[in-house]
Amino acid sequence: MIVNGNEIEILAPAGSFENLKTAILSGADSVYFGLSNFNARRNAENFSSFEDIKEAVDFCHLRGKKAHVTLNTLVYDNEIQDLVKEIEVINKAGFDAIIVQDLGVINILKQISKVPIHASTQLSVHNVSDAKKLKDMGFDRVVLSRELSLKEIKRIMDEVDVEVEIFIHGALCMSVSGQCYFSSALGERSGNRGLCAGVCRLPFYVREKGRYDLSLKDVCYIDYIEEFANMGIASLKIEGRMKSKEYVKSVVSEIRNKIEFGKYNKKLLKDVFSRSGFTDGYITGKRNNMFGIRSEEDKSYTKAAIEEIKSKDIYEDKVKVDIKYDFTLGKNSYLEMIDEDNNIVSVKGDIIEEAKNKPTAKENIEKNLLKLGSTVYEINDMEGKADNNIFVPISSINELRRNATDKLDKIRISKFPVYDIGKLIKPKDKSRPIGGKNIAVINDINTLNEFILDYFDETYIPLFELNKLNKDLIVKYKGKLGVEIPRVYFDEEANINKNLLKAKELGIKKGLAHTIGKIAMLDELDFEIMTGFGTNITNSYSVDLLEKEIHNLKNVILSFENTINNINKIKSNTELSIIVYGYLPLMTARNCPVKKEIGCKNCNKKQSLNDRIGKKFRVKCNGQTSELYNTYPLCVFDRLNKLDSDINKIFMFNDENKNDIKNIIKHYENSELLNDSTRGCYFRKLL
């Protein structure tokens, strides 16, 4: 679509073939969908057989539309063979883009596929450094985090020359995408593995029971299309691979209406699916009144709206063709077809014979050539000649027309490339360094003391709390000290850079970061780098990519959404670490659930959310984001004999006091499990 002279794509969800057809015929420029595995909506109908996949892709390409495939989940080493098979299908089907989260999948795609790669919103792309590094790594497009404002989006676009895609309509997650572990912590389903259990839609409250303090309204940013186009945004993405075809039809159609006619039916969109209406809090930067639930009233509106949408016809934008024909006596009939993209086909039919009885009139020939109803084409212009005293069977005219459209179909589809599978180099012959270190990561500087600094081989403190640390301690322990960049940081990154330079001046050389852009910032300043759990590393190919991209990589904290058995098999030339103790952050949210219910003035920074069975989840706010922590700490002290001895052990401390920490270390040294703790995902199956 063209808006204010700028081309902008309407990208629609296709959880099934029926929804795909509905999206394309309603006017979407592209669709995105998943195959059997490795996609973030594994519970959607999706597409499985190659025949179904190829049919879906060809359906798009025939109409000049694009098909994007989602390969946007975390992958384990024992799944790589199946992943490669799926990539081979993607290559042969002719997809236009692959949407990716896992760094290991990126590594593999760069070796065996030539399909353009788009960075999924699951990569938590929320600042300039993230977009810049992903562009440098070969990404053709980045899908930005949904929490960004217009101003923040513009800052990224002004500083990074990469295609940008944003969500224009649909559901909001409470957590920054890629940084939510709630589902896997409470069950065996991971959002990062495509099976989010939707925990944030359940009741949670601070003081008042019956509230839903983690449930956000859906977004509808259709009113901002002109601003998006003027900024140069490439694609407007609609969320909803689990939604109905009526939802897809209505959202695509109303976006088209806004672009073409300057108005749209927002009430219809609210009725077809919303959670107590819509919010534009993130895009405006005014994050008020953003919470909502799917009420019974909403559901009743949806039922009526779907019936209304079903009654509306879809008017497909057909491909315009010009036709030239020649029906000259004694010669083969001839038909030439030229489409709007200047693809030309010509076909010949039977030799034209003289009429013995009633001749075939030119008008009847043209009438039958016009019968393109079941095809993707419609006549723009037609010209030709036909002798007067000729006879042409209707079946002959129809066959000529069908042969021409079939031939044109094949040419149009062939314009989209398909690829053979490339050769994959496995990350073998690697020698993991001898580690076995004990490393502390301190969330609150007030927790830090000399006991911690003496006991642990390395200790990381929050970057922005470095100025609170006693300078004598820095001088004494600077060889052990490191700084941690906030996992999510929406402000200008000059603040990060300034504080990193200050840390270097103080003699601190170690840095910890969780997103690829912040890791690159540390690399540029020659810090010794440990990558955080927020990087979501679950396989050898991810580590291999980090080793290729990050010069000063020293240590990789592996995802806690993995089993010890899988972790031990990860190949690396770099030290590896896992979290063995700590209250795991289950969500990182830009919208504070405590603020929603009681306000900042009534918060003593020690609030908790309660679930429906009385479990408490600590909430900690840093001014930019709120972290929601698990009820019980992760603790695997009693099973560390199952972990390879050269893997480092990470202890995450929040607000534990000195006695708490001494007790934790005592249990660790005695290989004893702490009371009221959890072993997390390390020793159970995660789907």
Side-chain angles (χ1 to χ4, degrees), residues 94 97 166 181 196 236 280 325 338 375 411 438 452 490 534 593 667:
I166 64 164
Y181 309 98
C196 175
L236 305 176
D280 61 0
Y325 64 86
I338 308 171
T375 72
I411 287 179
N438 296 322
I452 290 175
F490 292 102
H667 279 73

Side-chain angles (χ1 to χ4, degrees), residues 83 113 209 275 375 388 487 540:
L83 173 71
S113 179
K209 287 185 177 181
R275 292 178 171 88
T375 72
N388 291 327
R487 191 150 48 106
S540 302

Side-chain angles (χ1 to χ4, degrees), residues 37-164:
N37 304 299
F38 312 117
N39 83 87
R41 293 293 182 271
R42 283 163 61 193
N43 281 333
E45 186 175 323
N46 295 316
F47 298 76
S48 53
S49 72
F50 179 76
E51 291 74 20
D52 289 344
I53 295 163
K54 183 62 175 166
E55 182 183 1
V57 174
D58 287 351
F59 184 90
C60 299
H61 288 170
L62 188 56
R63 291 159 176 81
K65 312 294 186 177
K66 293 184 178 181
H68 302 186
V69 63
T70 55
L71 211 61
N72 56 343
T73 60
L74 302 183
V75 180
Y76 300 138
D77 275 331
N78 60 4
E79 298 172 324
I80 297 299
Q81 189 173 353
D82 289 337
L83 173 71
V84 170
K85 289 178 182 177
E86 197 148 293
I87 294 171
E88 186 171 13
V89 168
I90 290 168
N91 283 356
K92 290 181 177 179
F95 279 99
D96 301 283
I98 306 174
I99 305 168
V100 186
Q101 173 189 15
D102 191 305
L103 295 182
V105 177
I106 298 162
N107 190 1
I108 292 168
L109 285 171
K110 289 171 74 172
Q111 297 181 56
I112 67 174
S113 179
K114 295 180 181 178
V115 180
I117 308 174
H118 294 179
S120 169
T121 188
Q122 292 290 113
L123 273 164
S124 311
V125 186
H126 65 283
N127 223 316
V128 170
S129 66
D130 298 314
K132 183 177 183 297
K133 182 59 181 176
L134 290 169
K135 167 72 185 302
D136 293 344
M137 288 167 62
F139 278 89
D140 299 275
R141 178 185 291 183
V142 295
V143 186
L144 298 183
S145 292
R146 283 172 266 202
E147 293 76 16
L148 296 173
S149 67
L150 282 169
K151 180 181 177 181
E152 290 161 345
I153 293 170
K154 188 175 187 303
R155 183 170 69 223
I156 293 171
M157 298 194 66
D158 286 346
E159 296 192 36
V160 187
D161 182 22
V162 67
E163 277 193 7
V164 166

